Amino acid sequence: MPPAFAVADTCLQHPALTDEETMTHLLHRQIHGSLPVAIGGKGIELIDAGGKHYIDASGGAAVSCLGHAHPDVVAALHSQFDRIAYAHTSFFTTEAAERLGDRLVEDAPPGLSHVYLVSGGSEAVEAALKMARQYFVEKGEPQRRHIIARRQSYHGNTLGALATGGNEWRRAQFRPLLIETHHVDPCFAYRFREPGETDEAYAARAAQALEDKILELGPEEVIAFVAETVVGATAGAVPPVADYFKRIRAICDRYGVLLILDEVMCGMGRTGTLHACQLEGISPDFMTIAKGLGGGYQPIGAVLLGRQIFDAFANGSGFFQHGHTYMGHPMAAAAALAVQEAIHRDLLLDNVKAMGGRLTARLQARFGNHLHIGDIRGRGLFQAIELVADRGTKEPFAPGLKVHAKIKRQAMQRGLMVYPMGGTIDGACGDHVLIAPPFIVAPHEIDTIVERLGEAVDAALRDFE
Ligand code: PLP
């Protein structure tokens, strides 16, 4: 397979490490088994120690929005490193963090006026949950204690975020440690829309589930509703139907419930608009962002929050009772700022829309009539195929078959990184493969991604025929 570009010399100066020689103490090796050693990357490709190239068609886990070794980000990191690598936020602010905060608010959905910088998605969700609770304590409504979220969702792996997520497989063994949360069905047209039901009727029914739950719990006791604007890892690029989130916003407003949109995976341009909720025509009270914020160049996440939240804190106790050692880290802020500036300057959201359209067309052409692809869905460069044992009944493959893992293995053999995940244990969603290439992807690369994915899916499924 010819490389699409010259590999940086430094990548290949490392001696090729064998499995036995490297990282034998790392827990993630025990979980994922034998892994190639990544020694370099450039553009949309990663290179392993054997010199093999992989197209990064998932941006890792929908992270690498600018691809690898982007010169602007590398330069920004060098420059920040030369000035200051770390300064604790209780002593100092930094220019990088200040500029990133300004930029994020400038581009935020209406009403979001402040930023809380953290180091990743789970931390952002934890902070949003705690801020929402403290907001009501500040306002003199300490009886508010319930969090409502949705089934088939993922909000992170720390205990609060895990409790909020609606993925039973991830939660089951930790249940005794989890705070009590409540879950309603997501807006997931392929799985939950009734035959013949219009978008409008389905949006109303799906949103009604939230109102019913609020009324059941007692509106004066509910803190917040948490949802991914476009569902990512658990169900695979599931967009809402039109008007669902407008109805959700109205219901939250009716009962004084805060709306937390988790855009850790679907946000920061991945769906073609900077924030996925822009297409829904609503603003949340809190929005969590991470992955595409720093594009993987540094670990970073953030909570964007509304003016009313900030005012309640400012006029009340005067501080948010929370904090992490690395929040507002200047290296992370400098990386995120450079990533966001490059996306803006190079008009990459236009490319997300154009290449997203091409990706949809290619996926439809390759899998539209495939016996085991039940659904092709998503927005922008955030798309997925869902695998089913039977297209007619939508019955998923048995989870024990691990179809997703076989597809991943086949794809890696073909030099393709995609992000397959297993179905839900309640059978409400089958195995799926998430495709989320960097925003710089070119048309011929979209074609190659779908070509290799088609081969990988067919090779994986041959075992079951
Ligand atoms: N929220 C969503 C929607 C996610 O997809 C993820 C990660 O995949 C998280 C939160 C957790 O982010 P992190 O893995 O950075 O903690």
Side-chain angles (χ1 to χ4, degrees):
M1 178 201 343
F5 49 79
V7 179
D9 289 346
T10 48
C11 293
L12 297 179
Q13 284 165 7
H14 294 272
L17 302 168
T18 65
D19 274 1
E20 290 70 35
E21 285 170 335
T22 58
M23 299 181 282
T24 44
H25 302 292
L26 292 179
L27 187 57
H28 77 255
R29 289 279 315 283
Q30 293 180 18
I31 294 163
H32 293 287
S34 175
L35 291 173
V37 179
I39 61 159
K42 195 167 185 204
I44 73 158
E45 291 200 341
L46 280 169
I47 303 132
D48 75 13
K52 179 172 171 177
H53 289 234
Y54 304 78
I55 294 182
D56 185 358
S58 59
V63 173
S64 300
C65 55
L66 264 195
H68 303 274
H70 193 288
D72 292 5
V73 189
V74 173
L77 279 167
H78 279 299
S79 157
Q80 183 62 46
F81 203 35
D82 284 343
R83 280 176 285 155
I84 177 76
Y86 175 68
H88 194 280
T89 47
S90 70
F91 298 94
F92 293 103
T93 187
T94 58
E95 188 190 341
E98 293 292 337
R99 287 181 57 210
L100 179 63
D102 290 350
R103 162 138 226 142
L104 290 176
V105 168
E106 216 171 276
D107 294 339
L112 297 184
S113 58
H114 288 77
V115 181
Y116 189 74
L117 292 174
V118 291
S119 301
S122 302
E123 276 188 21
V125 170
E126 294 288 339
L129 293 172
K130 287 179 74 178
M131 260 186 233
R133 163 69 189 166
Q134 193 180 325
Y135 167 75
F136 283 117
V137 173
E138 301 282 2
K139 280 201 4 156
E141 297 181 55
Q143 80 286 355
R144 291 210 187 234
R145 62 201 172 98
H146 294 301
I147 299 291
I148 306 175
R150 305 190 299 179
R151 299 186 187 94
Q152 291 95 43
S153 64
Y154 179 60
H155 296 294
N157 261 331
T158 49
L159 290 175
L162 187 64
T164 304
N167 180 331
E168 272 318 302
W169 173 76
R170 290 180 190 270
R171 292 160 48 97
Q173 68 172 318
F174 300 107
R175 192 183 297 274
L177 304 184
L178 302 180
I179 53 166
E180 189 192 9
T181 49
H182 308 271
H183 293 94
V184 297
D185 276 343
C187 183
F188 188 174
Y190 175 65
R191 286 284 165 191
F192 295 124
R193 182 163 51 191
E194 303 288 349
E197 195 174 30
T198 61
D199 272 6
E200 205 185 357
Y202 177 50
R205 184 165 64 82
Q208 188 59 42
L210 172 63
E211 183 159 26
D212 292 347
K213 183 57 80 179
I214 292 173
L215 292 172
E216 177 194 321
L217 295 169
E220 67 292 340
E221 296 207 355
V222 179
I223 295 174
F225 176 59
V226 188
E228 294 167 82
T229 316
V230 179
V231 180
T234 298
V238 182
V241 298
D243 273 0
Y244 168 77
F245 272 111
K246 281 209 179 97
R247 290 173 182 276
I248 292 289
R249 180 71 270 183
I251 291 166
C252 288
D253 289 346
R254 194 171 307 142
Y255 299 106
V257 169
L258 296 169
L259 176 59
I260 301 176
L261 287 184
D262 182 354
E263 298 211 355
V264 163
M265 194 179 237
C266 65
M268 299 317 289
R270 179 112 328 262
T271 62
T273 49
L274 186 61
H275 305 297
C277 63
Q278 281 171 261
L279 211 61
E280 306 309 320
I282 59 145
S283 280
D285 301 295
F286 294 95
M287 186 162 65
T288 52
I289 53 175
K291 298 173 184 273
L293 173 59
Y297 286 91
Q298 288 284 295
I300 185 165
V303 184
L304 305 185
L305 53 133
R307 156 82 44 198
Q308 84 280 19
I309 312 290
F310 176 80
D311 286 346
F313 282 57
N315 300 330
S317 65
F319 74 107
F320 172 38
Q321 195 177 323
H322 189 68
H324 292 286
T325 299
Y326 300 116
M327 53 187 283
H329 198 288
M331 295 296 291
L337 194 59
V339 168
Q340 297 311 313
E341 279 173 354
I343 290 171
H344 184 74
R345 186 200 57 218
D346 297 342
L347 304 177
L348 289 180
L349 296 193
D350 292 346
N351 200 49
V352 173
K353 289 191 195 101
M355 292 305 100
R358 190 179 183 100
L359 180 58
T360 306
R362 293 292 182 274
L363 290 173
Q364 288 289 354
R366 181 62 175 82
F367 296 111
N369 294 317
H370 196 288
L371 215 55
H372 293 296
I373 304 298
D375 197 23
I376 300 167
R377 57 182 175 244
R379 276 187 195 160
L381 289 175
F382 195 53
Q383 302 200 24
I385 53 174
E386 180 171 336
L387 289 110
V388 285
D390 184 317
R391 259 170 83 118
T393 63
K394 301 184 182 176
E395 188 195 340
F397 283 103
L401 294 176
K402 294 202 179 305
V403 172
H404 62 285
K406 292 194 165 79
I407 293 172
K408 184 174 180 182
R409 217 165 20 249
Q410 291 289 345
M412 286 292 276
Q413 278 173 19
R414 288 166 174 77
L416 179 71
M417 289 164 60
V418 284
Y419 199 61
M421 295 289 280
T424 54
I425 53 174
D426 53 9
C429 174
D431 294 81
H432 58 268
V433 180
L434 192 65
I435 305 132
F439 303 173
I440 54 170
V441 68
H444 71 279
E445 291 165 335
I446 292 284
D447 300 353
T448 308
I449 289 168
V450 176
E451 210 174 286
R452 288 187 197 174
L453 177 60
E455 288 170 13
V457 168
D458 287 343
L461 292 178
R462 265 198 285 281
D463 288 353
F464 309 117
E465 286 169 1

